[in-house]
Amino acid sequence: MKLSLCFATLVCVLFCGTLCAQVTLKGKILDGTNGDELIGASVLAKGTTTGTVTDIDGSWELTVTGLPTILQFSYIGYSPMEVEVTSLDQDLNIRLGDNAITTDVIEVKGQRISDKQRQAALTVETLDAIAIKETPAANFYDGLGSLKDVDLTAASLGFKIVNTRGFNSTNPVRSLQIIDGVDNQSPGLNFSLGNFLGASELDVNRVNLVVGASSAFYGPNAFNGVIAIETKDPFLQKGLSAQIKVAERNLIEGGFRWADALKNKDGNEWFAYKLNAFGFRADDWVADNYDQVFDTEVPATNPGGFDAVNRYGDEASSSTDFGFLRTRPGLGHIFRGGFNEIDLVDYDSQNLKFGAAFHFRLQPEKTLESTELLLTSNYSTGTTVYQGDNRFSLRDIQFFQHRVELRKRDNFFLRAYVTHEDAGNSYDPYFTAIKLQEAAKSDGAWAGDYSAYWQSVVTPQIRNLEGWPSCFPGDCTLAEQDALQRDFLAMPQNAVLLQEFHNDARQAASLERGINSQDEFVVGTDRFNRAFDSITSTLANEGGTRFFDRSALYHLHGEKKFDNVWTPNEDSRLEVTVGANGRLFTPDSRGTLLLDTMGRNIDTWEVGAYGGGTLHLNNRYKVSASLRADKNQNFNLLFSPAASFVFTPNPSTTARVSFSSAIRNPTLNDQYLFYNVGRAILLGNIDGVSGLTTVESVRDFSNSGNSDDLVFFDVDPIQPEQVRTLEVGYRSTVFEKLYLDATYYYSFYQDFIGFNLGVDLGFVNSQITSAQAYRVAANATDRVTTQGFSLGANYYFARYFSLNGNYSWNTLNTATDDPIIPAFNTPEHKYNVGLSGRDVPFSLLGDAVSEFGFSIAYKWVDGFIFEGSPQFTGFIESYGLLDAQVNFEIPKINTVIKIGASNILDNQVFQVYGGPQIGRLAYLSATYNWKRK
């Protein structure tokens, strides 16, 4: 490995006071069996207190007083190793054996917590290869939910949302997800669909979760955090891996990874490649919440129907409220029957992923320090349910992603990639329900038929009931008679009769009557299936509900790091990083979603540049500052500054204070959306909208007839939203076994992106002749603040065990009536506790079980209001989930068996309002690993 010798100089005398000769040693620590990079392995100069731990890529750097020296390497669950370093060109790539021995000689300070992570200016949580193996969740992505500060929301089996620090949404536009530096977003939606389009678990090396505002480090849209997934390097992790998993809900999942490297005539590896494949299918969780929509006025006991959460087409309408008609007693507010989501959505969740990567070392003799050329290609397809403003059935959706990159580790990279998507046969179930009902008869015709039947058939029967109150005008007022009649119909025997009357009226209204009407479509019949297939296969702008999306994203990014720009002494240095990127969106929805109609070009570009430096002073202080500038084609130049100060009084303790910022550019939907959902048009707002009328004033006008009641307003063009965050943190290892990490933050938000509701009225001679409702993307005018605190702890004990826990508190400080402020959608309190054991000595029937491990994890989430669209706004009850797993190895066949369950007690919980109840998912997996020598 590279060895650099620092000789005493005059500068050293000035800054150190004494002459010194030191050697900086660098290397990597790897798993001796599978080549995995070990995070947080301990490196100690024997007989001294000088030591370090490996970084997130297994690399380490240690300065010693001279050669020769003896280094001690150790890691929990591995046999320790001592290596005598005698020369400057000695290979210090260390492979630790997995003999299930945890050393008591060398304490691992802050185990699996690297110096870089401990001294990071921002809060960084890591799910490494060991944590992936040990998580009791059904897959690594679900395992992110156990990390500190993280909110994991399941809208379906195939669509999980990761968010931090508030303003959660099923449209996770405020979080950035990258895989090997490549943005994993859908070009048309402008956010990631969880891991639906991501990496196979067999190829994931680690996941780093950067919490909070991070635009200065990661660019626009790193608003609430960054999920950075790193895959395995084929040069370092060669061989064959394969996995098969079966679980409840008829889940079956499988995949394989093959990686190998070729050597040149000098015996140096110059080319490596990896191939990945992954497949998944399951019966998705069913959204079958038929309670009345939260905070709606008409209860579920209303005999004329009500608006249920997961029943679509039954929404309330003022045109179907007949409660004011005394000529139709008992009719009241009636609702169309609608259709249940289960009858409209494809719950056969599937996912296929294929990937290939080719790595070329342009200077093979330099091994890890060689410049590399990377060519990668990934393909994903599948079917799942996505929840946004409505619930959407993503069916046969496809993604293609290709990358070319030139890089030198820890020095520079030049990266270009492109992402293409195809929406396939995806459609809107909510709008489909409305279309099915309209195909039978319009809402007005249905309400008219219902009311006419009531008037002609039901009203005479009600008035002939014994005891029917009819005391006006002789013995009571009209209002008193109305009250008496309501009480009469509410009597138990009459309430049953009233429900039967409504059932009869609903049946009559469902039948063909007159022109432009036909019998309602009955689920399960051939007639229903033909109508459903016709609607869902026809584009939304042609009368159906299928949306077309073949959008693409093109990205170019370069970065260069300069080490030791200034070295005032051997313990101090200045590092500088500069970079720039450009991006082009090419939307193509053929007018089904966006305003790309009649030849209109809505391609959008954005560029950014950044620079920053970190000054390390005497191995105790680290001062960092950076500035990023971003320009979107449609918006002004914006800056994202960041600064931090990190104090490390000793190797196991770090204190930090930081300022960070972020911007979020409006999505393509925020700018160009044009989507007619029947009762309203969802409208992007790149140019501004004028002349709308408030919904409340239109309602007032309909009651008063006074045009002076109408309130008109304009909506300014949409602008990026911004956040600034102050953060303090403390990390320390206590008694060499307990690791603590505490963080407090305070954030300031402005220009939140939400929407305004308004009505575009048409007039002729001061008379309203038409009305179209719009939901327009808009910025909030109020400024809001949030704050939060989190504490994490890991306690390592009895050689093989770890007890861990974390607690998070988040709150919205600013009370505001601004309707545009997006919902906080975040529990105020949540915590995780867990116990795990790795390589625990264990015998079964007298025979030793190899590599036995286990983990138990409990999560508790405080209840909170989840606000989405009006249909999907409601209270999420507090809930707790218990997960558990055991794993062991069968060495003869290089296979690890894992048996576990998430939500093992089958506690049926809603994680998002409008989504399904999430229950137990018990699983069994077998993972085969064969390391190629």
Side-chain angles (χ1 to χ4, degrees):
M1 290 300 297
K2 180 180 178 181
L3 297 164
S4 61
L5 184 61
C6 299
F7 296 101
T9 63
L10 178 60
V11 175
C12 181
V13 175
L14 294 175
F15 282 89
C16 302
T18 61
L19 291 172
C20 57
Q22 295 182 322
V23 174
T24 300
L25 307 175
K26 297 180 180 180
K28 276 201 169 190
I29 300 182
L30 308 173
D31 184 299
T33 300
N34 56 32
D36 287 347
E37 299 150 340
L38 299 181
I39 307 170
S42 176
V43 184
L44 184 70
K46 187 173 183 178
T48 74
T49 59
T50 301
T52 186
V53 294
T54 53
D55 209 339
I56 59 175
D57 59 355
S59 63
W60 58 271
E61 180 177 326
L62 181 67
T63 301
V64 297
T65 55
L67 298 181
T69 187
I70 296 176
L71 298 183
Q72 296 174 312
F73 302 92
S74 64
Y75 193 60
I76 185 171
Y78 290 80
S79 296
M81 178 183 294
E82 290 189 358
V83 174
E84 183 177 10
V85 183
T86 59
S87 65
L88 301 179
D89 58 355
Q90 191 165 336
D91 183 2
L92 293 178
N93 281 335
I94 305 301
R95 293 181 178 270
L96 294 183
D98 54 352
N99 292 334
I101 298 175
T102 303
T103 176
D104 288 328
V105 177
I106 306 168
E107 294 290 351
V108 184
K109 300 174 176 62
Q111 297 179 48
R112 290 170 57 194
I113 308 296
S114 71
D115 285 343
K116 183 177 290 186
Q117 184 175 344
R118 184 186 294 111
Q119 297 174 12
L122 299 175
T123 299
V124 181
E125 298 291 318
T126 296
L127 193 74
D128 61 17
I130 294 174
I132 291 172
K133 177 183 177 181
E134 293 179 350
T135 179
N139 56 67
F140 85 93
Y141 203 84
D142 288 1
L144 295 173
S146 65
L147 298 180
K148 179 165 56 69
D149 287 311
V150 173
D151 294 300
L152 180 76
T153 303
S156 65
L157 265 176
F159 180 43
K160 310 292 177 64
I161 303 104
V162 174
N163 189 71
T164 65
R165 295 189 176 175
F167 302 106
N168 193 10
S169 167
T170 52
N171 298 329
V173 293
R174 292 181 175 87
S175 295
L176 176 67
Q177 181 168 298
I178 56 178
I179 300 178
D180 294 330
V182 176
D183 194 337
N184 192 225
Q185 70 169 269
S186 157
L189 296 174
N190 292 156
F191 58 81
S192 298
L193 292 173
N195 197 45
F196 190 72
L197 317 172
S200 164
E201 183 168 316
L202 290 175
D203 196 38
V204 174
N205 199 38
R206 69 179 58 83
V207 184
N208 291 320
L209 184 66
V210 182
V211 178
S214 312
S215 280
F217 307 93
Y218 291 94
N221 303 339
F223 203 75
N224 277 13
V226 179
I227 306 159
I229 300 174
E230 178 188 314
T231 65
K232 295 177 179 178
D233 189 321
F235 276 113
L236 300 176
Q237 290 143 317
K238 298 185 283 288
L240 175 66
S241 299
Q243 184 182 79
I244 183 71
K245 181 185 296 181
V246 294
E248 292 180 289
R249 308 202 64 79
N250 295 316
L251 183 151
I252 183 168
E253 176 182 306
F256 77 87
R257 176 186 184 272
W258 167 255
D260 200 4
L262 304 180
K263 296 181 179 180
N264 59 19
K265 62 181 181 180
D266 297 321
N268 297 315
E269 293 180 339
W270 69 276
F271 170 69
Y273 67 94
K274 62 179 178 180
L275 304 174
N276 280 283
F278 169 87
F280 159 92
R281 73 110 4 237
D283 298 333
D284 212 333
W285 304 110
V286 175
D288 55 0
N289 182 357
Y290 302 126
D291 295 337
Q292 73 182 85
V293 171
F294 179 78
D295 211 24
T296 52
E297 295 180 358
V298 181
T301 55
N302 178 51
F306 65 98
D307 183 7
V309 177
N310 291 126
R311 189 171 62 220
Y312 311 135
D314 63 345
E315 291 70 37
S317 171
S318 59
S319 64
T320 60
D321 186 358
F322 297 96
F324 61 92
L325 288 179
R326 293 188 176 94
T327 57
R328 295 169 177 80
L331 178 56
H333 201 158
I334 59 175
F335 294 74
R336 294 199 76 166
F339 293 92
N340 296 335
E341 179 178 300
I342 193 172
D343 298 319
L344 302 171
V345 166
D346 187 351
Y347 282 126
D348 183 14
S349 186
Q350 302 179 33
N351 190 201
L352 287 174
K353 305 174 191 176
F354 301 96
F358 306 96
H359 294 222
F360 301 85
R361 283 180 176 169
L362 305 186
Q363 300 165 299
E365 68 279 2
K366 293 187 176 181
T367 61
L368 290 176
E369 296 187 5
S370 170
T371 300
E372 286 186 43
L373 175 66
L374 282 67
L375 304 174
T376 69
S377 184
N378 294 283
Y379 169 76
S380 300
T381 185
T383 295
T384 190
V385 179
Y386 151 66
Q387 182 168 330
D389 295 310
N390 292 339
R391 299 264 295 172
F392 295 92
S393 186
L394 302 183
R395 192 164 61 177
D396 305 323
I397 192 170
Q398 298 183 85
F399 286 82
F400 308 83
Q401 194 165 70
H402 313 290
R403 169 175 62 126
V404 57
E405 180 173 344
L406 186 68
R407 74 180 186 188
K408 186 175 183 181
R409 298 172 190 269
D410 299 319
N411 189 301
F412 76 89
F413 68 79
L414 182 63
R415 177 186 302 135
Y417 59 87
V418 58
T419 304
H420 293 274
E421 69 180 344
D422 184 340
N425 298 308
S426 302
Y427 61 94
D428 182 342
Y430 174 88
F431 201 14
T432 299
I434 294 175
K435 287 286 187 181
L436 283 166
Q437 292 187 148
E438 289 178 346
K441 60 180 67 175
S442 67
D443 287 350
W446 176 85
D449 291 346
Y450 198 122
S451 177
Y453 178 88
W454 197 272
Q455 173 69 17
S456 62
V457 177
V458 177
T459 297
Q461 296 184 60
I462 289 179
R463 286 176 173 169
N464 289 329
L465 290 174
E466 183 179 353
W468 173 251
S470 182
C471 55
F472 176 81
D475 298 324
C476 65
T477 66
L478 195 58
E480 290 173 339
Q481 178 176 276
D482 291 341
L484 290 171
Q485 290 178 355
R486 285 194 298 270
D487 292 343
F488 177 82
L489 292 175
M491 296 173 63
Q493 67 273 22
N494 294 331
V496 172
L497 186 62
L498 186 64
Q499 184 64 67
E500 293 175 356
F501 287 152
H502 272 281
N503 293 343
D504 293 340
R506 185 175 299 279
Q507 176 62 28
S510 70
L511 301 176
E512 178 182 353
R513 183 175 180 180
I515 61 174
N516 297 323
S517 76
Q518 55 181 312
D519 291 352
E520 286 189 352
F521 297 96
V522 179
V523 172
T525 64
D526 290 340
R527 181 169 170 266
F528 172 89
N529 293 336
R530 288 194 300 271
F532 177 84
D533 292 342
S534 175
I535 291 170
T536 57
S537 63
T538 303
L539 293 180
N541 57 350
E542 296 174 358
T545 59
R546 183 170 74 90
F547 51 88
F548 181 94
D549 187 6
R550 291 185 180 173
S551 302
L553 177 157
Y554 302 86
H555 189 94
L556 179 65
H557 186 185
E559 182 179 283
K560 170 65 177 174
K561 296 181 180 179
F562 299 91
D563 294 330
N564 301 322
V565 174
W566 180 52
T567 54
N569 60 55
E570 59 273 8
D571 293 328
S572 304
R573 67 189 185 280
L574 173 65
E575 302 168 342
V576 173
T577 300
V578 295
N581 67 272
R583 174 172 292 188
L584 175 67
F585 292 98
T586 59
D588 181 10
S589 76
R590 293 188 182 176
T592 61
L593 293 171
L594 306 175
L595 288 168
D596 53 342
T597 57
M598 301 180 65
R600 180 178 181 181
N601 186 340
I602 60 173
D603 292 354
T604 304
W605 56 260
E606 58 186 37
V607 295
Y610 57 94
T614 300
L615 179 62
H616 302 260
L617 292 172
N618 300 322
N619 291 328
R620 291 170 64 90
Y621 310 99
K622 188 167 72 171
V623 182
S624 301
S626 64
L627 180 66
R628 181 181 176 96
D630 286 285
K631 176 69 175 76
N632 183 286
Q633 169 183 327
N634 297 321
F635 309 110
N636 295 328
L637 179 68
L638 292 175
F639 295 95
S640 301
S644 65
F645 174 75
V646 180
F647 173 53
T648 306
N650 57 64
S652 64
T653 301
T654 297
R656 59 191 171 91
V657 59
S658 67
F659 164 78
S660 59
S661 58
I663 65 170
R664 182 175 82 82
N665 286 324
T667 65
L668 294 176
N669 284 344
D670 294 329
Q671 299 177 60
Y672 300 112
L673 180 67
F674 188 87
Y675 189 46
N676 190 332
V677 295
R679 295 186 171 97
I681 293 177
L682 312 184
L683 195 64
N685 183 22
I686 190 63
D687 298 317
V689 179
S690 60
L692 294 179
T693 311
T694 65
V695 175
E696 294 78 9
S697 70
V698 171
R699 187 178 297 117
D700 293 340
F701 170 76
S702 66
N703 293 326
S704 69
N706 184 358
S707 60
D708 292 338
D709 288 339
L710 295 174
V711 178
F712 295 88
F713 69 98
D714 299 333
V715 183
D716 293 332
I718 197 75
Q719 296 295 322
E721 59 184 19
Q722 302 180 59
V723 62
R724 303 285 187 266
T725 298
L726 296 173
E727 183 173 328
V728 295
Y730 179 82
R731 303 178 178 113
S732 184
T733 302
V734 182
F735 307 121
E736 299 184 334
K737 291 183 179 294
L738 176 64
Y739 176 73
L740 300 174
D741 184 356
T743 300
Y744 171 80
Y745 74 90
Y746 199 98
S747 294
F748 306 81
Y749 294 84
Q750 66 182 38
D751 293 327
F752 261 126
I753 295 174
F755 56 84
N756 265 325
L757 296 176
V759 182
D760 184 21
L761 299 177
F763 293 89
V764 173
N765 297 325
S766 300
Q767 297 295 316
I768 296 177
T769 57
S770 64
Q772 175 61 60
Y774 287 96
R775 194 197 74 177
V776 182
N779 292 101
T781 56
D782 287 355
R783 185 185 188 190
V784 300
T785 63
T786 65
Q787 63 176 327
F789 169 80
S790 63
L791 174 66
N794 297 74
Y795 178 67
Y796 302 90
F797 65 97
R799 298 170 67 99
Y800 307 102
F801 303 101
S802 171
L803 180 66
N804 58 78
N806 58 68
Y807 164 79
S808 300
W809 169 71
N810 296 277
T811 187
L812 178 65
N813 300 320
T814 309
T816 175
D817 294 326
D818 191 331
I820 298 179
I821 299 296
F824 197 53
N825 286 352
T826 301
E828 182 173 1
H829 306 281
K830 58 180 177 285
Y831 65 82
N832 294 275
V833 293
L835 174 68
S836 63
R838 179 167 182 254
D839 299 338
V840 180
F842 179 75
S843 297
L844 182 64
L845 301 177
D847 295 326
V849 177
S850 179
E851 305 261 346
F852 178 79
F854 72 91
S855 60
I856 303 171
Y858 179 78
K859 169 192 285 289
W860 182 84
V861 176
D862 197 8
F864 64 99
I865 290 287
F866 188 97
E867 297 181 62
S869 66
Q871 182 79 11
F872 299 136
T873 293
F875 188 75
I876 301 295
E877 299 286 347
S878 301
Y879 63 85
L881 301 176
L882 180 67
D883 302 344
Q885 65 86 20
V886 295
N887 64 85
F888 57 91
E889 184 180 11
I890 305 176
K892 291 183 179 179
I893 56 174
N894 301 316
T895 298
V896 174
I897 304 298
K898 184 175 181 179
I899 305 170
S902 59
N903 192 6
I904 196 169
L905 301 179
D906 199 23
N907 182 17
Q908 300 286 318
V909 301
F910 291 107
Q911 297 183 2
V912 55
Y913 196 83
Q917 282 186 304
I918 308 300
R920 184 187 62 229
L921 189 66
Y923 59 86
L924 167 65
S925 70
T927 304
Y928 171 82
N929 280 295
W930 174 72
K931 181 181 178 297
R932 185 168 176 80
K933 302 298 183 181

